[in-house]
């Protein structure tokens, strides 16, 4: 009888001991795959070059500064700060993300502030300054299936007039969905599957295999400048 009791206790103890895999997950702080943030260094707790890349259209005629800066509301929280200035040029900071479960159920969270500073106002009220944070959807051949841009652009005062030759900002197209966010800080949560269906007709969501997440600033005049603050970028399945 005593031996049977000892065996029962040993069996119960074995049942309570986690397996190697589950124990490793517990020690490493892992979360279930569908809740995991697919973006590397999306909170910018490490140097921005971990997970993110920057590039310029023309390195000889533009200045792209990328840095981590402390939040004005929380000195323990770092933001990504992007500043760009250049003539007929653009700067990009981006990260490409593979989608292990496709597009369905995919959500994007982020915090964003965009500001533009026109430097010259020659001609018809100056040239547009375009600054975006967005998502580009791609198939397995790296083809662009559509782009969602959150923007706060500077436009010429005459842009909406009938005057010929007035500088124009980029507008929504069949492959480009532009969402204006205005001044100040914004926190957004987007169901990318639903937004993709809303914005792009004729493209099946199951063709999307990866996305590129990032910011782009486009300037035409030498002294035009824009800056973007980004924080807590999270891409996950609900």
């Amino acid at each position: 009888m005593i031996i049977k009791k000892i065996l029962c206790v040993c069996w119960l103890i074995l049942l309570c001991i986690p397996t190697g895999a589950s124990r490793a997950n517990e020690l490493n702080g892992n979360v279930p795959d569908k809740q995991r943030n697919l973006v590397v260094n999306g909170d910018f707790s490490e140097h921005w070059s971990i997970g993110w890349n920057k590039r310029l259209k023309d390195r000889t005629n533009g200045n792209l500064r990328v840095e981590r800066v402390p939040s004005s509301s929380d000195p323990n929280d770092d933001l990504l700060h992007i500043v760009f200035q250049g003539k007929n040029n653009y700067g990009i900071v981006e990260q490409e993300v593979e989608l292990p479960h496709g597009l369905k159920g995919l959500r994007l969270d982020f915090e964003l502030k965009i500001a533009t500073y026109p430097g010259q106002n020659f001609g018809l009220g100056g040239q547009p300054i375009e600054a975006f944070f967005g998502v580009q959807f791609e198939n397995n051949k790296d083809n662009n299936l559509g782009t969602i841009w959150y923007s706060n652009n500077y436009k010429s005062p005459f842009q909406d007039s009938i005057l010929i030759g007035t500088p124009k900002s980029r507008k929504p197209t069949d492959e480009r969905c532009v969402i204006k966010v205005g001044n100040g800080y914004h926190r957004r949560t987007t169901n990318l599957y639903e937004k993709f269906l809303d914005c792009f007709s004729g493209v099946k969501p199951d063709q999307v295999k990866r996305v590129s997440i990032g910011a782009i600033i486009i300037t035409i005049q030498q002294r035009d400048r824009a800056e973007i603050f980004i924080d807590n970028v999270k891409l996950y399945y609900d």
Side-chain angles (χ1 to χ4, degrees):
M1 178 66 70
I2 294 176
I3 294 176
K4 286 184 179 181
K5 288 184 177 179
I6 292 174
L7 290 175
C8 289
V9 171
C10 291
W11 178 246
L12 289 173
I13 291 173
L14 287 174
L15 287 177
C16 293
I17 297 175
T19 63
S22 63
R23 180 59 176 164
N25 286 337
E26 183 180 314
L27 291 174
N28 294 329
N30 292 342
V31 297
D33 183 59
K34 285 206 170 187
Q35 297 175 13
R36 178 172 57 92
N37 188 5
L38 302 177
V39 177
V40 176
N41 194 24
D43 61 356
F44 305 104
S45 58
E46 301 179 271
H47 191 270
W48 66 267
S49 62
I50 297 176
W52 300 86
N53 300 293
K54 73 172 184 177
R55 56 189 174 95
L56 280 159
K57 174 188 175 184
D58 180 4
R59 292 181 177 273
T60 65
N61 194 26
N63 180 28
L64 176 62
R65 186 170 86 245
V66 185
E67 60 187 350
R68 284 193 307 161
V69 296
S71 168
S72 59
S73 60
D74 182 0
N76 296 317
D77 180 29
D78 285 332
L79 316 176
L80 183 67
H81 182 217
I82 305 166
V83 183
F84 178 74
Q85 180 176 350
K87 183 178 181 180
N88 294 321
N89 207 346
Y90 62 76
I92 297 175
V93 177
E94 63 183 349
Q95 179 175 155
E96 187 172 274
V97 181
E98 298 288 336
L99 302 181
H101 306 292
L103 189 58
K104 194 165 187 179
L106 190 66
R107 288 188 175 272
L108 173 66
D109 296 352
F110 61 88
E111 297 176 19
L112 176 69
K113 179 183 178 182
I114 301 176
T116 56
Y117 309 98
Q120 296 170 315
N121 284 314
F122 301 148
L124 296 174
Q127 298 287 342
I129 304 172
E130 299 179 288
F132 309 95
F133 176 76
V135 183
Q136 177 171 293
F137 303 91
E138 302 170 358
N139 61 15
N140 54 13
K141 297 182 180 179
D142 293 331
N143 295 325
N144 178 12
L145 302 177
T147 304
I148 296 173
W149 280 348
Y150 297 86
S151 72
N152 184 24
N153 298 337
Y154 169 79
K155 65 180 184 179
S156 164
F158 299 96
Q159 174 169 308
D160 299 324
S161 72
I162 61 173
L163 294 175
I164 298 175
T166 304
K168 305 291 185 183
S169 299
R170 286 167 177 77
K171 294 183 178 181
T173 67
D174 290 341
E175 296 181 350
R176 183 191 308 134
C177 182
V178 180
I179 303 169
K180 296 180 181 180
V181 295
N183 297 321
Y185 280 95
H186 302 269
R187 290 183 177 90
R188 291 293 183 101
T189 297
T190 304
N191 184 317
L192 289 182
Y193 178 78
E194 293 181 356
K195 183 61 69 175
F196 185 90
L197 293 176
D198 291 341
C199 293
F200 311 115
S201 60
V203 183
K204 296 181 179 180
D206 59 8
Q207 294 178 339
V208 179
K209 303 301 180 183
R210 66 181 62 88
V211 295
S212 289
I213 298 177
I216 178 170
I217 298 174
I218 306 168
T219 56
I220 297 176
Q221 298 182 138
Q222 184 66 48
R223 296 183 183 178
D224 290 346
R225 179 171 61 91
E227 65 178 348
I228 301 177
F229 294 87
I230 308 170
D231 196 17
N232 294 322
V233 183
K234 185 178 180 182
L235 191 68
Y236 61 100
Y237 293 96
D238 60 10

